[in-house]
Amino acid sequence: MILEMKRITKRFGSVIALDGVNLELAKGEAHALVGENGAGKSTLMKVLAGVHQPDSGEVILNGKSVDISSPAESQMLGIAIIHQELNLIPYLSVAENVFLGREPKNLGFVDYKKMRKDTKALLDQFGIELSPRSLVKDLSIGERQIVEILKALSLNPEILIMDEPTAVLTDKETEKLFELIDLLKQRNVSVIYISHRLPELKRVCERLTVLRDGKWIKTDVLEHFSEHDIANLMVGRELEDMYPPLPTKFGNEILRVEGLTQNPNFQDVSFTLKEGEIVGFAGLIGAGRSELATAIFGGDPADEGIVSLKGQQVNYKNPIQAVKGGFGFATEDRKQTGLILDMSIAQNITLPNLRKYQRVGFVNRKLEKADIQKQVKNLNIKLHSVNQPVKNLSGGNQQKVVLAKWLVANTEIFLFDEPTRGIDVGAKREIYHLISNLAKEGKGVIVISSELPELLGICNRILVMHNGRISGEFNHEEATEQQLMKKATGL
Amino acid sequence: MANLETEIEVTKDRKLYNWMQYFWSNYSVVFAFIVLFIVASIASDHFLSPLNITNMLRQISVIGILAVGMTFVILIGGIDLSVGSVLALTGTIVMASQVDFGTSIFTAILFGLVAGALIGVINGVIITYGKIAAFITTLAMMTIARSTALYYADAGAIAGSNMDYRAIGNEYLFGIPIPVYIFAFVVVIAFILLEKTTFGRHIYAVGGNSSAAHLSAVPINKITIMTYMICGLTAAIGAVIETSRLNSVSTSSSGSMYELDAIAAVIIGGTKLTGGQGRIIGTVFGILILAILSNIMNLLNISPYIQGVVKGAIILVAVLLQKRS
Ligand SMILES: Nc1ncnc2c1ncn2[C@@H]1O[C@H](COP(=O)(O)OP(=O)(O)OP(=O)(O)O)[C@@H](O)[C@H]1O
Ligand SMILES: [Mg+2]
């Protein structure tokens, strides 16, 4: 065993995030770490990364008991981590971010040439076309994730921790990542792999450890379990029917988009949405799906084209108009555009629709509280108090807060951009049912997702985008993963 | 669900502990104030005398009011360097209206307040729609406002003749100077705005993450402009007190460097310069800390030339402590 973590306990105030958790890792093994949202996975990894100090328990590395008191020390011990939340510096270039704090030097000056060359080599290894000089702020969230991965790889670690690395990647980049992990394993690097995408676990990992509510549940060889078994172990009960029945009763056309263009992000996009219908958008990173949703919502208005709501042209200039018109937009990147991390859970949930709780400019906390409690219950958000800062929630629970924001608003048309990113299987199922119920109530729903199975599972129709244009449209009955993939890659 | 119930089930002492932790992380400035207060009372017998206390409170009122306005601006992640000069300009307007245009005191004050708010709006519009950094915009406004005042009065002073005007800055009510009431009133209004209203919620949202706020239908430009307007307005309120005290305005020295003290108070009070975090109560204690410091140093006959070193050190310590938590 290269690493053993024994009886690790960690509290945050009165919250017990980890309660006597064990984890062991063999050399050259990829080890899956799974559990529901808030189970303690990220916290356990942050103990290894030197971000958190455990209250009790022992970490044994290469047979020696170690005390990891800082991230720098963790790096020195040969541990690299790709955190669940991205931690790049927006105004630095890709190369500068990858080598941050470890810049190659020449006569005391930073050797930018070497830095860019090494970064380029890493990028090539990943097969991604990105300039080492581009600023991180101009990258998509998927590209940022790749930069994070490269940053960890450039450390040449013995142990590599990946906390939901594929949550923001599409299938193509994901496959690249898996090939890289295979390569690392051959080089005897050990990998701890956290993911809520259960199908990919077997592709990557040999063993798994399950956590539930901060407690260790099981460590075993992955082959012994089906996806269904893993899901049941995570939630501690029997899960049934992942996807709800498709909506069937449609009302009038509620949204019509014609020839919408925003250079260079998307061109000539047209589609319609009926009341009670769920329409999916598939595509690769950079296909322009998020930009399209942002434009419809008025976040960054389009250059040309028409958006009509119930037959009337609206073309929103800002999100305020869109929200008044009944639109809700759960963005893909909760940290950058979804949440105000320092504000409380409650304040985040009511932010888009504060006017609803307003009496002559004053916020009526009682009215507010009732709605907040309802959504916390509805989405089963795991929290200590609704007044705690939203940044203290686990990743998946933060995601639920993003959804809750638009459920309390009087939303008629939902734009969900990666609604289940980072959400555990049990909660995913709940969200699919929730989306289906929204449709049943006659709302129009648009779902953008990089997980094809979920689009196939819940959407009446799926549109595929490639390079900013709609490249295919499928009804539920005729769509298959292969076809979607083909259109998404522009074949 | 279960989570909410556990919230209620939390035992009493746990609650107390959590509350104390919360209090400490949010209000460590209060403890700093208490410590300083005790040290000051021991160091000098005069410190606790009613005369000294009321004088001290009156002296901080003007900067205190500016600091309240500054809190709004810093909460949205901005800065306003122009408040000192705006104080001089609006003070000039108030005095000139009375002396050169013969308006009533009331009208003169109204002109001053409207002018202050208007300058704030101009700052805000340039920052939002002109997309020029707040630091640069308000730096420019600082020189423009000062220069306008200097030009009008040939760099001299404008002295008033209406003795009634002096009352605002010099009279007492129940033994407490009028400016202190005005300061308290401004603080209460600010507290209500920030803690209880939609506007306040929006301020924290814009300061915390403006792109998320934008996509949550928060009118970020409007909110930004309004915070600068409030800041300009508080500068004008400060101007009224300041000019009334001597019944005169000095276009060259009125309000000079006030922006720095105001910003210092806000920072010591725990408001983050990056925006999104901070409370008005913090600012009040920040200003009190600055006041006690300079008061006690004066009482102890410490050279005013060295007092800046102490003030600077306190600011650094405050920011260091913030970084810790
Ligand atoms: N800094 C913190 N302060 C307070 N509570 C925290 C903090 N960090 C984590 N927690 C709590 O600890 C628990 C475990 O969180 P953790 O982030 O480890 O979950 P996770 O298993 O990674 O979940 P997810 O799948 O959603 O990412 C949660 O209840 C969370 O609210
Ligand atoms: Mg996590």
Side-chain angles (χ1 to χ4, degrees):
Chain A
M1 290 296 141
I2 179 168
L3 170 78
E4 282 175 84
M5 299 181 86
K6 286 187 176 162
R7 296 180 306 281
I8 304 287
T9 296
K10 175 74 192 169
R11 292 165 186 277
F12 295 105
S14 60
V15 183
I16 304 184
L18 296 172
D19 187 1
V21 171
N22 301 313
L23 181 73
E24 43 170 56
L25 188 64
K27 220 168 170 54
E29 134 182 82
H31 194 112
L33 182 59
V34 299
E36 284 181 285
N37 296 131
K41 305 178 296 292
S42 298
T43 307
L44 187 66
M45 291 305 103
K46 283 181 185 162
V47 167
L48 273 185
V51 177
H52 293 319
Q53 272 62 56
D55 299 324
S56 67
E58 199 180 11
V59 180
I60 301 170
L61 200 64
N62 286 317
K64 277 200 292 276
S65 176
V66 290
D67 198 7
I68 309 171
S69 57
S70 71
E73 198 164 342
S74 168
Q75 271 188 19
M76 291 224 306
L77 292 168
I79 301 170
I81 181 164
I82 301 162
H83 283 288
Q84 183 174 10
E85 309 294 338
L86 302 176
N87 289 302
L88 300 173
I89 301 182
Y91 281 91
L92 291 183
S93 70
V94 170
E96 285 166 320
N97 265 288
V98 168
F99 286 98
L100 190 67
R102 305 170 292 120
E103 294 81 0
K105 298 266 169 69
N106 192 356
L107 300 170
F109 291 96
V110 175
D111 187 348
Y112 280 101
K113 230 181 178 166
K114 180 171 163 40
M115 197 155 106
R116 281 196 288 268
K117 213 180 94 215
D118 292 355
T119 309
K120 187 88 187 84
L122 285 163
L123 285 165
D124 289 344
Q125 203 176 359
F126 215 94
I128 180 161
E129 273 180 47
L130 204 68
S131 161
R133 289 172 189 263
S134 0
L135 294 186
V136 160
K137 75 171 176 65
D138 298 326
L139 304 187
S140 74
I141 182 164
E143 289 167 336
R144 289 183 200 197
Q145 177 70 60
I146 290 166
V147 175
E148 285 276 9
I149 294 170
L150 300 182
K151 188 174 164 186
L153 286 177
S154 72
L155 288 162
N156 285 321
E158 269 186 76
I159 297 175
L160 179 58
I161 302 166
M162 301 188 167
D163 197 346
E164 298 193 35
T166 56
V168 298
L169 299 183
T170 58
D171 292 1
K172 202 168 134 221
E173 292 108 358
T174 303
E175 190 45 44
K176 275 274 168 338
L177 176 67
F178 294 163
E179 285 167 20
L180 256 171
I181 295 177
D182 289 339
L183 214 72
L184 289 173
K185 286 197 287 195
Q186 279 166 26
R187 289 194 219 143
N188 246 339
V189 175
S190 310
V191 176
I192 302 177
Y193 190 85
I194 300 178
S195 178
H196 289 296
R197 295 184 172 182
L198 302 184
E200 63 188 34
L201 295 182
K202 279 205 178 139
R203 164 72 181 81
V204 180
C205 305
E206 288 83 44
R207 293 198 301 159
L208 97 163
T209 291
V210 183
L211 303 185
R212 193 192 309 144
D213 288 334
K215 294 195 183 65
W216 175 86
I217 300 295
K218 201 178 205 66
T219 297
D220 206 333
V221 178
L222 194 51
E223 238 169 57
H224 300 168
F225 301 93
S226 69
E227 268 170 48
H228 192 71
D229 297 335
I230 300 172
N232 288 345
L233 270 176
M234 282 168 60
V235 299
R237 64 192 148 80
E238 181 71 27
L239 276 176
E240 60 243 85
D241 61 321
M242 197 65 185
Y243 300 110
L246 279 190
T248 47
K249 276 224 300 272
F250 306 138
N252 298 327
E253 177 182 294
I254 185 166
L255 175 70
R256 172 177 285 269
V257 173
E258 290 166 291
L260 210 62
T261 299
Q262 179 185 70
N263 289 315
N265 300 321
F266 55 85
Q267 291 82 29
D268 198 21
V269 174
S270 304
F271 69 94
T272 61
L273 176 73
K274 292 199 189 77
E275 289 169 349
E277 190 183 26
I278 305 176
V279 170
F281 275 83
L284 301 179
I285 290 179
R289 295 170 299 164
S290 300
E291 289 84 355
L292 173 65
T294 311
I296 293 173
F297 191 64
D300 188 4
D303 309 331
E304 272 171 56
I306 298 171
V307 178
S308 322
L309 174 73
K310 294 176 184 159
Q312 275 194 321
Q313 182 175 347
V314 285
N315 283 50
Y316 299 120
K317 296 211 171 47
N318 57 53
I320 302 164
Q321 296 175 348
V323 170
K324 278 210 187 105
F327 279 75
F329 180 27
T331 58
E332 63 172 335
D333 185 345
R334 54 179 173 259
K335 198 170 170 183
Q336 301 296 332
T337 54
L339 298 171
I340 320 282
L341 290 172
D342 286 325
M343 284 172 82
S344 73
I345 297 160
Q347 292 179 341
N348 268 285
I349 290 179
T350 52
L351 187 61
N353 213 23
L354 257 187
R355 277 173 204 86
K356 183 172 157 192
Y357 310 99
Q358 165 180 300
R359 296 291 173 267
V360 284
F362 286 78
V363 181
N364 184 327
R365 298 244 170 117
K366 266 214 191 96
L367 273 180
E368 209 188 357
K369 199 168 173 192
D371 270 10
I372 292 162
Q373 305 260 9
K374 201 174 112 202
Q375 289 311 325
V376 167
K377 196 170 157 175
N378 185 11
L379 290 168
N380 197 7
I381 303 176
K382 239 177 233 165
L383 44 69
H384 175 53
S385 149
V386 294
N387 296 321
Q388 81 191 87
V390 78
K391 68 178 168 201
N392 287 351
L393 287 182
S394 80
N397 283 302
Q398 287 182 12
Q399 183 65 26
K400 290 183 184 176
V401 174
V402 174
L403 299 183
K405 275 170 65 170
W406 300 106
L407 295 176
V408 299
N410 300 318
T411 309
E412 290 296 323
I413 299 180
F414 288 89
L415 308 170
F416 288 127
D417 197 354
E418 307 286 355
T420 64
R421 160 170 301 159
I423 283 186
D424 69 54
V425 273
K428 259 185 195 163
R429 185 181 161 276
E430 285 162 28
I431 285 174
Y432 298 147
H433 283 78
L434 186 128
I435 290 178
S436 158
N437 284 339
L438 290 173
K440 250 187 229 150
E441 289 167 24
K443 319 268 186 198
V445 184
I446 289 173
V447 179
I448 299 172
S449 173
S450 300
E451 286 189 58
L452 296 179
E454 97 181 2
L455 289 180
L456 292 166
I458 60 170
C459 298
N460 295 109
R461 269 188 303 141
I462 301 174
L463 303 175
V464 189
M465 281 181 80
H466 170 69
N467 270 348
R469 290 178 185 275
I470 294 199
S471 61
E473 174 169 353
F474 300 91
N475 275 326
H476 177 81
E477 296 74 30
E478 55 188 30
T480 65
E481 242 177 272
Q482 287 73 17
Q483 278 175 318
L484 294 179
M485 214 47 220
K486 227 164 104 188
K487 290 291 180 196
T489 47
L491 292 172
Chain B
M1 270 184 50
N3 320 301
L4 287 177
E5 281 148 27
T6 45
E7 186 193 345
I8 298 153
E9 278 169 23
V10 177
T11 54
K12 272 262 171 61
D13 53 316
R14 189 88 265 170
K15 261 218 155 130
L16 185 70
Y17 169 81
N18 284 341
W19 185 82
M20 275 168 57
Q21 214 179 24
Y22 169 83
F23 195 82
W24 173 247
S25 61
N26 282 283
Y27 298 109
S28 47
V29 60
V30 180
F31 291 88
F33 165 76
I34 293 170
V35 169
L36 195 64
F37 190 87
I38 293 171
V39 170
S41 352
I42 296 169
S44 164
D45 301 338
H46 294 295
F47 177 72
L48 279 179
S49 75
L51 187 68
N52 185 47
I53 297 279
T54 49
N55 263 337
M56 190 171 76
L57 285 176
R58 184 176 54 214
Q59 279 161 12
I60 63 163
S61 303
V62 172
I63 298 273
I65 290 167
L66 299 194
V68 169
M70 192 65 77
T71 308
F72 281 80
V73 167
I74 291 183
L75 273 176
I76 60 149
I79 193 90
D80 189 348
L81 300 176
S82 69
V83 287
S85 300
V86 172
L87 185 146
L89 178 57
T90 49
T92 305
I93 290 172
V94 174
M95 294 316 290
S97 304
Q98 294 180 52
V99 177
D100 300 342
F101 298 93
T103 66
S104 70
I105 294 173
F106 179 79
T107 315
I109 292 175
L110 196 69
F111 280 167
L113 297 184
V114 170
L118 202 64
I119 294 171
V121 169
I122 293 170
N123 275 334
V125 167
I126 295 173
I127 290 162
T128 51
Y129 292 102
K131 297 200 179 359
I132 297 178
F135 188 91
I136 296 167
T137 304
T138 59
L139 187 67
M141 185 57 81
M142 171 171 138
T143 59
I144 291 170
R146 174 72 61 185
S147 154
T148 309
L150 288 173
Y151 177 75
Y152 182 83
D154 264 338
I158 306 174
S161 49
N162 191 337
M163 284 303 143
D164 292 343
Y165 183 57
R166 294 193 47 142
I168 301 170
N170 295 290
E171 286 301 324
Y172 290 73
L173 193 66
F174 307 120
I176 296 172
I178 303 282
V180 178
Y181 287 104
I182 300 176
F183 177 36
F185 178 73
V186 169
V187 167
V188 170
I189 296 290
F191 178 83
I192 292 172
L193 278 178
L194 285 177
E195 303 283 329
K196 306 282 178 204
T197 68
T198 313
F199 174 55
R201 201 66 79 72
H202 282 170
I203 286 177
Y204 284 99
V206 173
N209 182 346
S210 65
S211 39
H214 176 56
L215 289 176
S216 298
V218 174
I220 49 177
N221 286 346
K222 192 172 125 197
I223 299 293
T224 305
I225 293 169
M226 280 176 74
T227 58
Y228 283 96
M229 184 187 84
I230 288 174
C231 201
L233 184 64
T234 54
I237 296 173
V240 171
I241 297 174
E242 183 101 343
T243 51
S244 136
R245 181 98 180 106
L246 300 170
N247 203 4
S248 133
V249 63
S250 151
T251 52
S252 59
S253 69
S254 269
S256 165
M257 306 288 256
Y258 281 19
E259 58 279 348
L260 296 186
D261 279 342
I263 293 168
V266 176
I267 294 170
I268 293 172
T271 298
K272 280 208 179 143
L273 267 178
T274 46
Q277 273 182 303
R279 310 234 97 87
I280 206 73
I281 301 296
T283 298
V284 172
F285 280 96
I287 202 81
L288 287 174
I289 286 174
L290 280 180
I292 295 182
L293 267 177
S294 64
N295 182 255
I296 195 70
M297 287 192 289
N298 285 337
L299 288 178
L300 297 178
N301 272 328
I302 295 173
S303 155
Y305 300 127
I306 198 75
Q307 291 186 9
V309 173
V310 177
K311 226 194 264 178
I314 293 287
I315 295 172
L316 289 177
V317 168
V319 175
L320 276 177
L321 284 178
Q322 265 184 46
K323 278 203 159 164
R324 277 284 181 78
S325 56

